[in-house]
Amino acid sequence: MQTLLSLSNDLAAAVERAARAVVTVHARPRLPSTGVLWRPGIVVTAEHTVRVDEEIRVTWSDGRAAPATLVGRDPGTDLAVLRIGESDPTTAEIGDSAELKVGHLVLAVGYGPRASWGVVSAVGGAWRTGRGGEVDRLLRVDLVLYPGFSGGPLVDASGKVAGLVTSGLSRQLELAVPTATVTRVVDELLATGRVSRGYLGVGLQPVALPEALGRLAPGADARGLIVVGVVADGPAARAGLMLGDVLVALEGTPLHDLGDVQAAIAGRRAGTAVTVSLFRAGTPLDVAVTLAERPSRRR
Amino acid sequence: MEVVERPHPLTSDLADVVGRLRENTVELRTRGRASGSGVIWRSDGLIVTNAHVVAGAGPAPPGAQVVLADGCRFPAALVAWDRELDLALLRVEACDLPAALVGDSDRLRAGELVLAVGHPFGLVGAVVSGIVHAAPARGHHAGPQWIQADLRLAPGNSGGPMADAAGRVVGVNAMIAGRLALAVPSRVVQTFAMRRAPR
């Protein structure tokens, strides 16, 4: 019976270990969310749970409380960074999500502490979220994310943090943001207060090109993206892009679908000029567009 | 190279613990129908279940029966019940019953493994596994304090045991709230049984 008992003890110890760096984040009405002390004085939580910009508070399960200021948010990866006055020396022990394999036992820890368990159900390569964020690795878990768990740590059987769980990136799947992504976003938010992500300001739709045009396109491809909307005063509008232009390449990379456009611009910061190859009225044309920052959403 | 296949010790441990726990669990039948589960609290015939499982049955529920894991059936008498605690005591005329090992719910920690046995949907002795979601608040707060477990219970689990990794009963399954299983802590059950059970 020793093996079962020791597994049980290990799981409880893992929760306890992780819970030391777990705080309750009070940044929305009614239901608080969970945060992780990533570094001394720095709390990471799920962006979608931070509904206010001011008067944010964090509390610990032992009753301590501290005011927090919002350092920045990255809706793309659903991460927000808070700074707390109290520099609690207990920070999370951060592991490497890349070590997680399908089938590994994992726990999610919410404020309280509360816990749920399950296994890693899928891992994969880098992916882009619906809100344009770049996540280094797909990490899908089979566990219940109870109310308030968003922003809490995904913990391996030894108690090390393997990611941040959130219900904000997918409605259907339980996903975790890997530690490498969290650390990258934390660094960027601490440095500049935002995660810069290039923005074109156009609405696009995939189209098939007539054969004659297709032969002229880069890579002799017969597909492109037709401009069906131009955001007024956006980067594309300022560069003179028009309704009906058919985009075929960005910096020489062929564009087949919207994902290609996102992939081509997301790595480039606002302020960068990119060459967009397009067809206008059947004539090939190269236009330089200076990417800008995506206008922030209204809250 | 010779490969000897044997089950992982975890698997055999689990089978042992579950095997014993199933013996400690009874099925309750009222008016000929399965109504829930119960735990053999004492070998001399004291059975614990939820009040809501035997509710309305009255002091002498007509045809209330306790069915042991081995299939033996005993008529049962309702000894005591408390709707607020959602606990009830039944008595069967038997001795040397396989009584449950009772654990200490005050020592539960979040993340600990828990197992539940019951008779959901007419399945006999179905087992589910999970972990403690949040330990019950210690001390004497107002109102009942529940063990919250990340465990998938079904209606027929009511009154059945929730046990730790050593097979010690730490609670009596009582409710499903959201996706959480709620159990009456063994401390509360123990006190109730001591006060209300006939000697």
Side-chain angles (χ1 to χ4, degrees), chain A residues 1 4-5 8-9, chain B residues 13-14 17-18 20-21 101-105 107-109 112-116 130 132 147 161-171 186:
Chain A
M1 218 163 61
L4 191 63
L5 255 182
S8 181
N9 287 333
Chain B
D13 280 5
L14 202 50
V17 171
V18 164
R20 278 193 286 110
L21 197 58
L101 283 170
V102 178
D104 185 356
S105 52
R107 294 180 61 179
L108 284 177
R109 298 183 293 162
E112 223 179 286
L113 285 176
V114 278
L115 299 160
V132 174
I147 301 168
M162 182 182 284
D164 66 9
R168 294 173 294 222
V169 174
V170 290
S186 57

Side-chain angles (χ1 to χ4, degrees), chain A residues 1-5 7-13 15-16 107-108 113-118 143-146 149 174, chain B residues 8-10 13-14 17 20 109-113 115 129-134 148-151 165-166 168 179-180:
Chain A
M1 218 163 61
Q2 280 317 305
T3 321
L4 191 63
L5 255 182
L7 172 65
S8 181
N9 287 333
D10 287 352
L11 292 176
V15 170
E16 202 179 303
L107 297 151
R114 297 174 296 149
S116 67
W117 79 325
L143 45 72
V144 180
L145 294 184
Y146 289 98
F149 266 45
E174 277 71 42
Chain B
H8 190 281
L10 191 64
D13 280 5
L14 202 50
V17 171
R20 278 193 286 110
R109 298 183 293 162
E112 223 179 286
L113 285 176
L115 299 160
S129 63
I131 61 166
V132 174
H133 176 72
Q148 299 175 46
D150 177 31
L151 181 80
R168 294 173 294 222
R179 292 167 82 178
L180 285 174

